[in-house]
Every structure is written in C-alpha cells, then in structure tokens.
Amino acid sequence: MNGAEVAIGALRREGVRHIVGLPGTTIMHLIDAAGRSPGMRYLSVRHEQVAAFMADGYARAAGGIGVCTASRGPGAANLAIGVHNAHAESIPVLALIGQVPDEIYYREAFEEMDLVRFFGPITKWSVEIHQPSRIAELMQRAVRTALSGRPGPVMVSLPLDVQTAEAAASYQASARPIPPAAPTAAVEAALARLASAQRPVIIVGGGVRGPGYSAGLLKLAGRLAIPVVTTWLRKNAFPNDSPLFCGSLGYGALAATEDVVREADLVLAAGCRFSEFTTGRWTLLSPGTALIQIDIDPDGLGRTYVPDLGICADVSQAAQALADAAEEAGTSPPPGRAAWAAAVRADYQQQASPPGPAPGAAPVSSAELVAALRTVLGATKATLVQDTPSLGPWIQRYLDFAAPDSYYASGGGSMGWGFPAAMGMQLARPDERFITVSGDGSFWMVAQDLETAVRERLPVVTVINNNFAFGNTRDRQRTAHDGRYLGVFYSNPDFAAFARLLGAHGERVDSGSGLVPALERALASGLPAVVDVIQDRHEGLPPGLLPPTAR
Ligand SMILES: Cc1ncc(C[n+]2csc(CCOP(=O)(O)OP(=O)(O)O)c2C)c(N)n1
Ligand SMILES: [Mg+2]
C-alpha cells in the first residue's frame, strides 16, 4: 500500500465514510485512495471554505468527526476559516492537507507553506507526518484527539512523497477514552446545594452533546424544579416546551432569561464556557451567586467565573448521577420552589411571544419571516440551520425547538457557515430535511456551491433574508458612526434566477403572505432550493436591540 491508502484506511477504521474537499496536486493520491475505498464517498466543492464548513455540519449532525481535505498553500488558506470556526465552537473536524514533498521542502517550493504553524493556533492539534511507517498511528490519534475531551479540529499534513511511499498498514484498535465521571463526594455536595437553594438555575451549554437531549439533565431539573436556560445559540440543548425552560442567553436574550440568572442564588453551569456573548461580556452573574460548574475540560473550570464547586466530568453523566442520587435520597425541592419556577417560566413565556409584523414597514418583515418559519418547521419537522446575523436574535427569541437535534447555529462568527453546514448535515442525515436561513451577504460568500448541492443531490432549502446590506455592520454605522454608511449597501443578483440557472429550485418572495407557500414548494421540489425573501434595506434586528459593543 502507499501512504495515501494507509491514511484513508485509517480513517475508514475510525468510521469515516465521507470526505469533502477540492483537488490539488498534493492531494490527488488521497482522493484516488478515497475513491477506491469501499463505502467511502468523496465530494468536491467549489471553494475550500465550503469543505470545512460541510465537515463541521457533518460532525454536528452525525455526532462524530467531519473530514475535509485541501491542497497545500492556497487550498489550505481557503480552508482555514472553517477550521477556525470549528475551533471556536469545539467541533471535531479533521483537515487533511497535502504538503510539498519532503525532498524539496524549505526552498520556498511552489505553494509551500508551514502548515503546522499556520494551523497551530486554530486547532487542537496540528501535525505533519514525515515517516510513512507512522501514518496509520498518527491518523488514528488525530481522530481520537479531535473527538476526546473538549472536542476540536485537528490538522494533518501529509507531504506528497510520504503519500506515494510504500507504507505499512499497522492500524490500531479504534478505542475512544471513557469520559471522566463525577466523583460521589462531588455529587453529594452539589446535590445538597441544589436542594437547599432558593432560586437556582441551570445553564446548559454546548458541552451537553447530542444526539438527543441529556436524560440526566431533564430528570435533575424536573425532580428539583430548577429553571433551565441555555447558552447563546444552544437553544436546542434543552426542550423548549419544558415547563422549566426559560430561554437562551447571549446576544438578543430576553430580559426574563437574563433575570433568572442575575437573581439566582445558585447557578449550575452544565457544559458552559461562559462566553462573551452568553454572559454579556461577563456581566451576567451577580456577585454572591454560588456556582457549581461541570465541564469535561479541567481547563474550562474557573477560567472566567471561579466555581464554589468545580466538577471535571462528562456533563450528561454527572447530571444523571445527580438525578439518580436525588431519587435515591428522596430529595425534593424546598417548599415554594415549584411555584417560583412556574412564575419564572410564565414571565419568560410572556416576553417570548413575538411582536406582530410591523405594518407596511418592509416588503417582508423579519417578524413575518419568523412566523412563517414557525409554521413550516412545525408542519414538516425540518431542522433549522441558522447562519444569518440580523435574523439570529429573532430566531433566538421567537422560535421554539421541542425536538432534539432540530436546530443548529454557529457562534464562531463566520459569515457563510450556514448553507455549507446544512449540506454537511444533509450528508450525515440523508432522510431528513434541512432549512437554512442566511443573510444575503453571508449566502453570497458561498453561493457558488449551490452547484455542488445540485450535483451531489443535497436538497437543502436556503432562505435568504435579503436586505441588500451587510445589515449587522450597517447597524454599527447607524449607532456608533452617526449614520455615515460606507461599504454596507450593495446590489444583489436575482438569487431565485441564479438558483434556477444552476438547476436548483428558486423563488423570490416579496410579500409576507407568499412565504409559507414558497417554503412548502421549495421543500416539495426535492431539489436544493433558494427562497429569496426581499426585505427593506434597513430591516434587521428586533426593535431596540443594538449590535453588541456598538453602543
Ligand atoms: C467572514 C466574515 N467576514 C466579516 C464578518 C463581519 N460581519 C458580521 S455580520 C456582517 C454582515 C452580514 O450581512 P448579511 O449576511 O447580509 O446579514 P444581515 O446582517 O444583513 O442580516 C459582517 C460583514 C464576519 N462575521 N464574517
Ligand atoms: Mg443582509
């Protein structure tokens, strides 16, 4: 076998069945080996950022690793945005990159680039393999590293002559480490505090990983009548129809959601890293609020808020242990807590009822768009993938997700993540439907890959909230630069016609009443589809909300 075949064989042994990339001299052997590997599907995209975002979406929806590939230099640089985003979001992505042959390295060879240094700060591990005999070992370790503990992206660079060299297929067993469990003493101490607190709250974050909801968290919150909020963009980490759910924190959070944390005497942080947005720049927790923090990563414990009790454990396991201990001990909430929790939820529900569409304000208002999405998602059980900046807070506030794994959003900040991520999710869950919502600026960064969606039969429905503007940045100029608009308005092509030109389904919607039928037709077409929703140039955030830090 050659090195490329050994590398692909190692990925196969780790369960990888999809590789997304864009060809280039230094990865042709890898692509060839993938094509000849039974059950392995290789797909080319039209820009490497799309490959990385697809791998990210695949990883999220499959609950495993997503693999993307690119050639050295320019290909690698194009891939980097998606690797950065995966790093910011702890998503297990493997970036497999071809490198100039070792025999000509360090001479500024064509497209030569120090890949290990370039990717070092944006990966969990960055490695270049120089010995053909070590390919299997290091590839398998790369997969384990990406998936274990706090997950994250890994970059593996394979010089061309290492790929073509004779190599030994010395694979290892595919074992995953058993995640750490909460020690009994910690469980008992945490339970005692949770049982006696007056106004406790659980903050659930991305450390609680699917598929499915955490049964332990559901049982714990229910048994002890503890309100639950989620971190920014993780609204689907807890069922939104639970009588204990009180919204999601972060940019655009409702006051009722923030208040339940501000007024808490005890916070249980379950897989929550206390990000800048979730905590409103670290202003959310009140002095004197006691903190129990559970995190799989010891480095995450106390990084920003120092807990009174820090437990290094798998979050779902620890929650289950707490719930079981409460059951065994017959622990019940103190008198009055259930009534208080119900009142907190009622407050939240009142604020979460969406405002009516602003009459005549725009061709299609964001309120109308959110209402249409609610109708269509409810009827079709499609999964929502949120890309868009300005519509994000509308979704966060006014759309509920009651089924597990039915909503994904990215807090890494990369425009253009949504559509490719949804394509990756579609690869992972081919029998389900995915609707992605993108800003027009964001969609146009990745629009060329509608061709990929058509070619590879990935029937993602993309809804564009088309305000002919970088709306989020426009709002900064409105609020922080006295309305001196520069570089934020532009024209767009007819996105629906563009979609049809590529063989996709395309529709333009310029009235609120046209939304639901258009979305239904887009789903029924069975094709990749674009629904271009025309909005006012100034349509954007919910009333009164400013972009973060633009005040
Ligand atoms: C790759 C990238 N470039 C720039 C930014 C900065 N940025 C954040 S939001 C935004 C505008 C987004 O415009 P659009 O996608 O049309 O969404 P809208 O706010 O108009 O709904 C920009 C430029 C970013 N987040 N990511
Ligand atoms: Mg826009």
Side-chain angles (χ1 to χ4, degrees), residues 203-208 231 269-274 293-296 315:
I203 305 179
V204 186
V208 181
T231 58
C272 150
R273 69 188 165 95
F274 293 113
Q293 187 182 6
I294 308 170
D295 205 292
I296 198 164
V315 174

Side-chain angles (χ1 to χ4, degrees), residues 381-407:
K381 308 292 171 225
T383 289
L384 186 73
V385 184
Q386 172 192 318
D387 184 40
T388 179
S390 298
L391 200 74
W394 288 92
I395 294 172
Q396 169 171 1
R397 288 183 174 185
Y398 305 122
L399 275 186
D400 276 350
F401 305 93
D405 310 304
S406 64
Y407 166 64

